[in-house]
Amino acid sequence: MPSREVYGQRAPLFERLSARDTPLVLDGPALAESIRGALVRLLGSRADRSVASYLAGPRLVTSYGVPGTVDFTAVSLSDRQLMARCLEAAIASYEPRLSDISVVLEPTRDRLRPLEARLTATVTLMGYQRAVVFLLNGRAVTLAGEG
């Protein structure tokens, strides 16, 4: 029987150290869950910089997270586009497994959650690429491009 090539990516160090059942190589759903966890941590952290400074300057370890956007409104298209650029910049800087990053923010009718966020990106696994879609407003992770 011919050998089957396995695609995957080495699990991040802190995941390997903190969980006994984390495999050394992540693939498919395990990789998506690892990236989702990293995104939750990243997007749940606030950078201590203004939006303008964050987008203009380099993102360093000390500016991990996304800038606060409390002065922006969900109904303003320009505010949503600026917020999406901040999210894209943060993800591009701090989640190296993702490329071709695009974030779309759409208003909702829900007063508690006025925006829906959808991240589309490409995960590169040892030369193999897979499109992924993350719904940033919940725990749903949808892998696209399976087949």
Side-chain angles (χ1 to χ4, degrees), residues 9 22 35 42 44 61 95 98 114 120 136 146:
Q9 185 164 6
T22 299
I35 293 171
L42 172 63
V61 173
E95 182 44 74
L98 296 179
T120 56
L136 301 178
E146 299 236 337

Side-chain angles (χ1 to χ4, degrees), residues 17-110:
L17 294 175
S18 65
R20 291 178 179 243
D21 58 348
T22 299
L24 290 179
V25 176
L26 302 176
D27 63 349
L31 178 61
E33 181 58 27
S34 172
I35 293 171
R36 188 197 67 77
L39 289 172
V40 167
R41 287 186 295 278
L42 172 63
L43 301 177
S45 300
R46 292 295 163 258
D48 188 23
R49 294 169 71 181
S50 69
V51 170
S53 170
Y54 187 82
L55 290 173
R59 276 156 293 286
L60 308 169
V61 173
T62 56
S63 60
Y64 179 83
V66 292
T69 56
V70 294
D71 295 331
F72 293 88
T73 64
V75 295
S76 167
L77 176 61
S78 62
D79 283 357
R80 289 195 314 267
Q81 290 171 335
L82 196 54
M83 284 187 272
R85 283 184 45 218
C86 287
L87 294 174
E88 290 168 353
I91 294 165
S93 296
Y94 301 111
E95 182 44 74
R97 298 174 286 186
L98 296 179
S99 61
D100 303 322
I101 298 163
S102 173
V103 174
V104 176
L105 299 172
E106 294 293 332
T108 69
R109 295 180 187 264
D110 186 351

